[in-house]
Amino acid sequence: MQNHNNVKRPKVALILTGGGARAAYQVGVLRALSELLPKDAHTPFPIICGTSAGSINSTILAVDAGNFRHAVRRLITVWKNFHVHHVYRADMFGAFRHSARWLLAALSGGRLRTLSGNAHPVSLLDNAPLAALLKRYVDFSAIQRNIDNGDLTALSITCSGYSSGQSVTFYQGHPDLQNWQRARRIGVAMPIEIDHLLASSALPFIFPPMRVHREYFGDGSMRQIAPVSPALHLGADRLLVIGVGRQLQPGAERISSSAFPTLAQIAGHALNSIFLDSLEVDLERLQRINRTIELIPEAVRKQANYPLHKVEFRVITPSEELEKIAAEFAHELPRTIRTLLSTVGGTRRSGSNLLSYLLFEKSYCRALIKLGYKDTMARKDDLLPFLGWST
């Protein structure tokens, strides 16, 4: 039998974007890919780049890079059985205590001081359960082992620095890789640890910032003006991007509304801007560059020492609106969280965007996994050759 893992294939980078509970869609895509590839296949993605909730999925894949199907099964096990209390505190005392501190902090300049005088960052929700889950579930030492044995070239996690205003990509990879610095974004070599994941997935206002060395960081999708850039810096020649929002439809209908937007509607709009807009713009930029390069003959590019080269990419995004799916399962939120969200209009249909990011309940997650699986299987004849596998 042919050893599929020894066949030379293109260096494809997997880019997993952010989006809270929406990241369950990524698991459905990965499930489809794992079923299409041989059972014993190593990861088809030697370069894995994650941001926000995508950073957690990325790290699980990197930890099990030697067996792609096993890594995906681990992701499925978690996401298909998710409950809100696995990610943030949903009990009455924990939820309302944290939200009350958040409100008081807003009135006191953004920080509270305890009786001892120590300052503590605050947020709407407490994500201590997520930290506990990651500590139990992720063997971070396996990342370097997979790099050393050649199953993985690099894993990158992008965070947003609150003090510097920079988009910082922390990466762990092959020693030949080099740091980079561009306008408002840098790449820094560093062993990936739990703090990087908690920082990258710290939704603004909702989850607390995380200190990594000398700076506090928040969700990596903030100010991430070039989401595909880390993969290119790490040596990818092809990109597979899994988004968590529908790509902009040309000629989208503008709906007339006389109702003043709720806080939840505004927050959902802001989160969409953070998680969806920069990816669309960056992919559009990459497409323009590819078209420009095609107009320049290869011989001319070599003679002029022109450094750019065409980068093939594929994008998989939901074929349905995830906020509409979230609205169907809003009733499954714990009563405490429903009450908390209802105060800002989060349980209304107009607030379903915000809900779609926070609804870590298994029925919703399973619906997104099913959608991701369906969307990917519909494109298998294109995706397998792109990844370097025969259909």
Side-chain angles (χ1 to χ4, degrees):
M1 180 180 292
Q2 181 182 7
N3 187 344
H4 297 280
N5 291 321
N6 291 333
V7 177
K8 184 174 177 60
R9 293 190 173 83
K11 188 170 285 188
V12 184
L14 176 66
I15 300 176
L16 299 180
T17 62
R22 288 175 172 232
Y25 177 83
Q26 299 170 352
V27 179
V29 175
L30 294 168
R31 177 188 174 189
L33 293 176
S34 71
E35 292 183 6
L36 293 171
L37 300 182
K39 290 183 179 180
D40 62 343
H42 295 187
T43 177
F45 310 108
I47 298 169
I48 306 174
C49 304
T51 304
S52 191
S55 69
I56 297 172
N57 290 342
S58 296
T59 302
I60 298 297
L61 294 177
V63 165
D64 267 331
N67 191 319
F68 182 59
R69 184 168 293 192
H70 183 259
V72 174
R73 282 176 178 168
R74 294 185 69 209
L75 282 172
I76 292 172
T77 298
V78 172
W79 282 94
K80 287 188 73 172
N81 297 287
F82 244 145
H83 290 288
V84 161
H85 66 259
H86 292 139
V87 181
Y88 52 87
R89 290 197 53 182
D91 60 286
M92 183 174 295
F93 177 77
F96 281 104
R97 176 176 176 269
H98 227 70
S99 59
R101 284 171 52 85
W102 176 78
L103 177 60
L104 289 173
L107 297 174
S108 64
R111 295 175 71 87
L112 286 177
R113 292 190 176 273
T114 62
L115 293 176
S116 62
N118 295 322
H120 296 283
V122 295
S123 57
L124 182 62
L125 298 171
D126 179 3
N127 64 345
L130 176 61
L133 178 66
L134 292 174
K135 287 178 182 177
R136 293 195 310 269
Y137 202 72
V138 183
D139 177 12
F140 290 92
S141 64
I143 299 171
Q144 188 59 48
R145 291 198 297 270
N146 289 327
I147 293 170
D148 294 340
N149 63 29
D151 289 329
L152 185 69
T153 299
L155 166 69
S156 77
I157 306 297
T158 299
C159 308
S160 181
Y162 279 115
S163 299
S164 65
Q166 290 182 317
S167 176
V168 181
T169 297
F170 299 101
Y171 70 90
Q172 184 173 353
H174 192 277
D176 289 344
L177 296 172
Q178 297 182 348
N179 294 351
W180 64 88
Q181 184 167 359
R182 299 291 186 271
R184 290 291 178 184
R185 50 192 169 94
I186 62 173
V188 180
M190 181 181 297
I192 299 301
E193 298 175 348
I194 188 172
D195 287 353
H196 298 100
L197 305 191
L198 292 174
S200 184
S201 58
L203 292 168
F205 303 112
I206 297 172
F207 295 137
M210 177 61 61
R211 188 179 181 91
V212 180
H213 292 284
R214 64 180 181 273
E215 187 176 6
Y216 276 102
F217 289 89
D219 198 288
S221 296
M222 296 186 295
R223 311 201 75 170
Q224 190 182 31
I225 58 177
V228 306
S229 173
L232 300 178
H233 282 291
L234 295 172
D237 49 41
R238 293 185 184 182
L239 309 176
L240 178 64
V241 183
I242 307 178
V244 295
R246 296 183 71 189
Q247 289 185 289
L248 185 62
Q249 303 296 314
E253 181 183 359
R254 302 178 68 89
I255 301 173
S256 175
S257 174
S258 58
F260 195 81
T262 64
L263 287 176
Q265 189 174 356
I266 294 171
H269 181 76
L271 289 176
N272 279 352
S273 298
I274 292 171
F275 290 115
L276 308 182
D277 293 356
S278 60
L279 177 62
E280 287 187 353
V281 171
D282 204 23
L283 290 174
E284 187 179 85
R285 182 188 302 120
L286 180 58
Q287 193 170 46
R288 286 201 307 270
I289 293 173
N290 281 342
R291 289 173 179 170
T292 301
I293 292 172
E294 287 177 346
L295 297 175
I296 306 174
E298 184 177 357
V300 174
R301 296 202 306 268
K302 287 183 177 180
Q303 185 177 4
N305 195 27
Y306 197 59
L308 297 179
H309 63 278
K310 184 177 179 180
V311 177
E312 290 189 62
F313 67 92
R314 298 290 187 274
V315 184
I316 304 177
T317 57
S319 58
E320 300 175 22
E321 296 180 16
L322 301 192
E323 58 269 26
K324 291 184 178 179
I325 299 176
E328 296 175 12
F329 297 101
H331 64 278
E332 297 197 1
L333 276 172
R335 181 177 297 178
T336 302
I337 302 301
R338 286 205 312 271
T339 302
L340 183 61
L341 288 178
S342 68
T343 62
V344 294
T347 53
R348 302 179 193 174
R349 185 164 292 275
S350 63
S352 58
N353 252 327
L354 175 61
L355 184 68
S356 70
Y357 290 97
L358 298 178
L359 189 52
F360 291 94
E361 288 295 331
K362 64 180 183 181
S363 296
Y364 173 63
C365 292
R366 290 181 180 187
L368 266 54
I369 291 172
K370 183 178 180 180
L371 179 62
Y373 182 88
K374 182 190 74 171
D375 289 347
T376 306
M377 283 300 190
R379 298 178 55 185
K380 65 180 181 179
D381 292 340
D382 172 58
L383 290 172
L384 282 176
F386 173 79
L387 296 175
W389 297 82
S390 58
T391 54

